[in-house]
């Protein structure tokens, strides 16, 4: 097919004046409906905690006992002392912990992070909001390639062993944003046991997709806190999660887990900023899930909605780009994203072309620190929100745009494309 | 009455093994009941905003338009751009603004506050949580006496004019914690127009009791933002409020108001820490109040519960200590507290004695920076939670304890006391 022919196809799509969005890792309306019972489950007749505690008044700095118990099981930590329940977003907890690191340091810091030059390792491609936090606090970001098992550990180990200013690493361990892939047991063990020049090194273990499987084919990871403890690095991980993509995004419950020393440090800090998070919303969530098994059961309903969307995305990629050598993509068992790599120098062009044809994609580069993808090749696809039919159209446009961009930069001769 | 006789009375109280609490500015259960409709007002059948917006998904960094409109009227600012709706607590917003000041500085700071020695003026007696934030961030506190019209402005003006390291002042402008008294128009004007050596001086205008009148006898204050603008100091005030003592403490909605420059600065910062606050809870509050008139109407129900409690507290003080010269106390038109001054050197003893007889009071000194009342004379009384009968008993014990403590330190001859 010639460039002319590709462009004719493309113009045909443009005349449809589509408005499709594969840019955001948002639950669809159908997914939100799965949790509507949350809105009816606490009433004026019935608002006490399961233990009879008043939920309408002050108190409960780190969560209701029953909510801590639920998140203990979610975070897979060993006691409720290793849990702090937060507000509606784990992003807020992550920002908060780093902000307090900047002003005060961690529980084992000799000096507040703000009083020194500090660096974080940023596996790439990764989550833009993690990188934004670093940028905001002037934390230097060191990109390290993320492969199918997690970050390149040879590189990570060498970096942290030799530079005491490296204080942290961002990890989305399961169904990572944007690759959808998970850390192998070896990576978990190496992260847990590696020698760090900094005494106060932290892993920000953002387990945002901990229970977000697409099918029975589930990724199972080694327990990061157990591994860190076994290596004598008890205070290394902060484990983050929320129900934003389980119940309601923005009206869910978040939590952080880690060693008692880390959690006591955080509770000590929280005293200055809050009397406690919204307990009524905690009760709603406890009643809705009943227990961790109930939460897992609930996730199967999400999977039923997400799986066909992922399958459609992958099938169009395979049909349109399979065998062309123009692109590679991940095939996740869970999460919210598929990571697509187009020829170097083409990602921005593909996103722009798709936009012209009415398909909104995450900005090219967003998955890299400072929004700069050095290869300009990575594109994050978010199939959760559009319908399967919309995905079919959107992905055909994305694939066509990939072919056009590749021909434009002479990656392939147009005649090669069928 | 001799000390022996006072002690006999006191021992009689002790045998009752009371457990009364006048320590915390908490709404009573009856007050919480006033807002129970909140728990039924958003259901799975009816959860969209008044403009039909999805409230279960991400978005809305600074609040739903209808919630911003409500708080625009609550905060008495002139546009919704002058409002940011927050999470469940204004304490969190105050801590957050100061934390961001420490790491980044205000919108008009030349240098982050954390990179310099900074000081705040703390009117005393005041709110312990304000002082704790300062202490936490190593902000030096300069106590200034608070009289019946607000802080001693001669002193405040002199301090801020000559010391560029003074970056802020805490003010609870209406029905202050703990005095229950309000700033006069003159104090508002002087705070607004005073020359400050610091370009980035801020008033933390914690209007926690803005609508918390006890009767038709309402304190009406000059508008701080209007006054500051008139004086060319648009960015001076951050105006804080929440519904913690209007609906549910811990499950309410907070907000901050101020100049567009201040709010844009705050929105810019919030981007890094949140996708937005809980919109479902915003909808609950909008529906419950309908509008600002509805909110004021709702507060009359609180007043009906609080007024007899304040009256009982004041009447026992008058009956037991009136004319003795042993104590002075405030007679607020609103808020949650009465401030009691006992003879110098007696506050700790009174609190301890009350505790022995089963009456829990706020710790003596709590109303001063570092919890140190230089005169050891101020005690904060919080009448909201106990019943009127409980208040009667508790206040008789407090008054008796005051007499005993005064006799013990030879302030009065015991024979003077009747």
């Amino acid at each position: 097919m010639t460039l002319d022919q590709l462009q004719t196809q493309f113009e045909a799509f443009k005349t449809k004046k589509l408005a499709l969005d594969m840019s955001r890792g948002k639950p669809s309306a159908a997914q939100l409906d799965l949790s509507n019972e949350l809105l009816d489950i606490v009433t004026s007749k019935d608002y006490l905690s399961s233990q009879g505690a008043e939920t309408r008044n002050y108190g409960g700095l780190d969560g209701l006992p029953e909510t801590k118990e639920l998140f203990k099981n979610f975070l897979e930590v060993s006691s409720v002392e290793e849990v702090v329940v937060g507000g509606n977003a784990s992003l807020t907890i992550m920002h908060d912990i780093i902000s307090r690191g900047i002003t005060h340091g961690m529980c084992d810091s000799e000096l507040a992070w703000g009083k020194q030059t500090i660096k974080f390792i940023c596996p790439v491609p990764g989550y833009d909001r993690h990188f934004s936090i670093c940028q905001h606090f002037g934390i230097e970001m060191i990109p390290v390639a993320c492969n199918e098992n997690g970050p390149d550990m040879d590189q990570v180990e060498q970096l942290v062993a030799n530079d005491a200013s490296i204080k942290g690493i961002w990890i989305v361990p399961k169904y990572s944003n944007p690759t959808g892939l998970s850390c192998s047991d070896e990576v978990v063990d190496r992260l847990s046991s590696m020698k760090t020049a900094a005494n106060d090194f932290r892993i920000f273990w953002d387990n945002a997709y901990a229970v977000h499987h697409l099918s029975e084919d589930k990724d199972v990871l080694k327990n990061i806190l157990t591994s860190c403890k076994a290596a004598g690095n008890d205070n290394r991980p902060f484990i983050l999660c929320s129900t934003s993509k389980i119940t309601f995004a923005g009206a869910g419950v978040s939590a952080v887990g880690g060693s008692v020393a880390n959690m006591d440090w955080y509770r000590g800090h929280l005293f200055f900023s809050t009397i406690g998070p919204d307990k009524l919303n905690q009760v709603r969530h406890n009643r809705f899930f009943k227990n961790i098994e109930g939460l897992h059961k609930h996730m199967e309903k999400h999977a039923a909605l997400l799986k066909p969307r992922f399958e459609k995305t992958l099938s169009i990629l395979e049909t349109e780009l399979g065998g062309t050598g123009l692109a590679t993509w991940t095939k996740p068992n869970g999460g919210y994203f598929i990571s697509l790599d187009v020829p170097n120098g083409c990602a921005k062009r593909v996103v722009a072309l798709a936009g012209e044809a009415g398909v909104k994609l995450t900005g090219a580069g967003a998955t890299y620190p400072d929004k700069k993808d050095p290869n300009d090749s990575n594109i994050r696809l978010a199939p959760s929100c559009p319908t399967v039919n919309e995905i079919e159209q959107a992905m055909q446009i994305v694939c066509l745009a990939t072919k056009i961009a590749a021909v434009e930069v002479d990656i392939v001769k147009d005649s090669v494309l069928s």
Side-chain angles (χ1 to χ4, degrees), chain A:
Chain A
M1 203 176 284
T2 66
L3 182 56
D4 273 356
Q5 286 171 310
L6 293 170
Q7 279 171 336
T8 304
Q9 276 190 13
F10 190 69
E11 290 304 319
F13 273 117
K14 276 166 83 171
T15 60
K16 294 189 181 181
K17 299 206 179 300
L18 299 169
L20 306 171
D21 193 339
M22 291 188 73
S23 71
R24 295 277 313 277
K26 284 169 70 166
S28 65
Q31 286 181 272
L32 297 168
D33 287 346
L34 298 175
S35 302
N36 272 358
E37 191 188 337
L38 260 188
L39 296 169
D40 304 322
I41 213 164
V42 166
T43 69
S44 60
K45 306 271 175 288
D46 186 13
Y47 51 77
L48 300 181
S49 81
S50 68
Q51 297 173 329
E54 173 66 81
T55 51
R56 304 170 302 167
N57 219 331
Y58 290 115
L61 182 68
D62 65 349
L64 286 170
E66 65 203 68
T67 313
K68 291 173 70 177
E69 178 68 23
L70 178 68
F71 280 103
K72 182 200 84 174
N73 295 323
F74 188 113
L75 294 160
E76 298 178 347
V77 296
S78 50
S79 75
V80 291
E81 285 71 41
E82 291 181 335
V83 176
V84 170
V85 178
N88 71 336
S90 58
L91 177 65
T92 304
I93 300 180
M94 293 186 279
H95 173 280
D96 200 30
I97 288 173
I98 291 179
S99 175
R100 293 168 195 274
I102 296 288
T103 55
H104 291 81
M106 296 292 123
C107 67
D108 44 16
S109 295
E110 282 153 26
L111 195 63
W113 286 357
K115 301 233 185 265
Q116 47 187 319
T117 299
I118 69 161
K119 304 169 191 163
F120 267 47
I121 295 177
C122 297
V124 288
Y127 178 35
D128 57 346
R129 293 278 185 163
H130 291 163
F131 305 152
S132 295
I133 291 174
C134 284
Q135 183 213 339
H136 182 58
F137 285 110
I139 298 171
E140 191 183 310
M141 291 179 269
I142 306 174
V144 163
C146 205
N147 59 43
E148 66 274 19
N149 296 314
D152 176 338
M153 285 308 301
D154 290 346
Q155 219 186 324
V156 170
E157 284 167 347
Q158 210 211 334
L159 283 162
V160 299
N162 295 300
D163 187 347
S165 70
I166 300 178
K167 299 297 188 188
I169 185 169
W170 291 108
I171 303 277
V172 182
K174 198 190 278 189
Y175 310 135
S176 170
N177 178 352
T179 69
L181 306 180
S182 301
C183 289
S184 67
D185 289 355
E186 187 201 338
V187 166
V188 174
D189 276 334
R190 288 173 74 177
L191 282 167
S192 304
S193 61
M194 66 190 180
K195 282 207 183 348
T196 61
N199 289 323
D200 52 354
F201 179 87
R202 291 291 184 277
I203 300 171
F204 287 84
W205 194 256
D206 183 0
N207 215 349
Y209 311 102
V211 293
H212 303 60
H213 316 286
L214 287 172
S215 69
E216 279 307 301
D217 209 356
K218 298 174 184 178
D219 292 3
V220 178
L221 276 73
K222 279 199 83 162
N223 184 306
I224 184 71
L225 185 56
T226 309
S227 291
C228 283
K229 283 179 180 173
N233 297 316
D234 304 33
N235 296 338
R236 186 167 287 183
F238 282 115
I239 311 169
L240 286 311
C241 74
S242 83
T243 70
S244 291
K245 294 188 180 81
I246 299 176
T247 57
F248 297 145
V253 177
S254 66
V256 57
S259 69
V260 173
N262 270 340
M263 293 304 105
D264 281 349
W265 168 87
Y266 192 44
R267 279 185 278 265
H269 272 270
L270 280 176
F271 167 81
F272 295 98
S273 57
T274 180
I275 315 289
D278 183 343
K279 291 187 293 295
L280 283 162
N281 211 30
Q282 292 174 31
V283 174
R284 284 186 195 102
H285 281 76
N286 271 99
R287 289 188 189 170
F288 181 61
F289 295 129
K290 295 185 182 68
N291 51 40
I292 191 69
E293 289 74 31
L295 189 152
H296 288 299
K297 203 84 192 148
H298 175 68
M299 293 313 293
E300 292 172 14
K301 300 180 191 168
H302 282 282
L305 292 167
L306 288 170
K307 193 161 181 264
R309 289 168 163 83
F310 274 73
E311 284 175 346
K312 179 56 76 181
T313 308
L314 293 169
S315 85
I316 304 284
L317 284 168
E318 189 56 45
T319 308
E320 297 296 325
L321 296 176
T324 63
L326 286 187
T328 56
W329 54 89
T330 56
K331 298 178 184 68
N333 289 327
Y336 266 64
F337 304 105
I338 289 166
S339 180
L340 171 67
D341 280 302
V342 297
N344 285 356
C346 288
K348 275 194 180 137
R349 179 67 179 147
V350 170
V351 171
L353 282 169
E356 286 176 27
V359 177
K360 193 175 173 192
L361 297 176
T362 309
T367 52
Y368 283 76
D370 302 320
K371 303 195 186 302
K372 283 180 196 141
D373 173 0
N375 296 324
D376 186 26
S377 69
N378 187 250
I379 295 173
R380 186 182 81 165
L381 301 173
S384 60
C385 248
T387 64
V388 172
N389 280 343
E390 286 171 341
I391 288 171
E392 176 151 19
Q393 290 191 294
M395 286 310 301
Q396 274 168 348
I397 289 167
V398 169
C399 293
L400 186 55
T402 301
K403 292 175 189 170
I404 292 173
V407 173
E408 282 175 348
V409 297
D410 270 338
I411 299 282
V412 284
K413 295 290 166 219
D414 50 11
S415 57
V416 174
L417 299 167
S418 62

